[in-house]
Amino acid sequence: MEGQPRVVVQCATGPESYAALADTPIAQLQHEGIGAALAILGSAFMTNGILDVPKSYVQGIIDRTHCAGGLFVAGEVQSGFGRMGSHMRRHQRHGVVPDFVTIGKPAGNGYPVGAIVTRREILTRFVEQTGPFCSTFGGGNAVCAAGLAVICVMRREGLMANAGT
C-alpha cells in the first residue's frame, strides 16, 4: 500500500541479518511520526544460560539507531561488572561506545545499587534542556560505599579473571 513503511521479510542467517530485523520497526516508528528515541540492548543474554551476542550484531543495532536519530543504551545490569570475565563492561567486548550504560545488580552485590553512565556532551545537553537533575536516592553514602567495596573485593580476589574460566 502506498504511504505504508516497506516491510522486508527475510530469513536471518547471521549477525547482520538479525540486526536488519530492526529496520522494520524503525521504519514504522518514523512513518507514524514518532521516530526512534533509543535502543536498549544487553550484549549477552543470561536468563536462560549465557548466550553471547555476535559483535557485528551490536554494531548493526547501534548504526541503525543512530541513523534514525536515536541513542543507544548498553544494558549492563546482568552482563556487566566483570560477570563475563573478559571486560568490566560487556559492551567493551564489542568495541562499541554506547550513549548510555545502565549498571545495576552486580554493582552492589545484593545491595540496591543502580547507575546510568553517559558521555559529557549528552549530560550537558540534558541539563541545558531540562535543568538540574535531583534524586532523593541519588548518591547516598551507603550505596556508594557498597559499590566501592564490591570493586575492591573484585580486584583483590581477581573475580573478573575467575569469571572467565
Side-chain angles (χ1 to χ4, degrees):
M1 285 185 253
E2 192 171 321
Q4 293 293 320
R6 187 174 147 238
V7 176
V8 178
V9 178
Q10 58 188 12
C11 179
T13 59
E16 177 56 32
S17 296
Y18 283 110
L21 295 174
D23 293 340
T24 299
I26 289 171
Q28 185 174 358
L29 288 168
Q30 290 173 325
H31 175 76
E32 293 174 8
I34 298 169
L38 58 90
I40 303 172
L41 177 68
S43 56
F45 303 113
M46 299 176 66
T47 302
N48 298 319
I50 299 175
L51 304 174
D52 206 2
V53 176
K55 291 181 180 182
S56 57
Y57 172 75
V58 175
Q59 189 61 58
I61 295 296
I62 291 171
D63 291 345
R64 285 168 170 80
T65 302
H66 284 163
C67 185
L71 299 171
F72 176 72
V73 179
E76 299 281 341
V77 172
Q78 284 191 308
S79 61
F81 234 72
R83 284 182 161 190
M84 303 295 283
S86 62
H87 297 82
M88 185 64 168
R89 287 164 291 283
R90 192 61 177 166
H91 70 269
Q92 294 170 316
R93 178 190 175 275
H94 297 275
V96 300
V97 178
D99 300 303
F100 297 93
V101 178
T102 59
I103 299 168
K105 300 173 209 174
N109 193 33
Y111 198 84
V113 175
I116 297 174
V117 180
T118 190
R119 296 189 311 272
R120 182 179 306 277
E121 64 268 17
I122 293 174
L123 180 61
T124 300
R125 186 168 177 198
F126 174 77
V127 171
E128 287 172 352
Q129 290 182 357
T130 63
F133 176 75
C134 177
S135 172
T136 57
F137 292 104
N141 293 336
V143 170
C144 292
L148 287 173
V150 168
I151 291 171
C152 288
V153 169
M154 287 177 65
R155 287 181 179 162
R156 184 176 65 241
E157 297 182 16
L159 296 181
M160 195 166 85
N162 189 49
T165 59

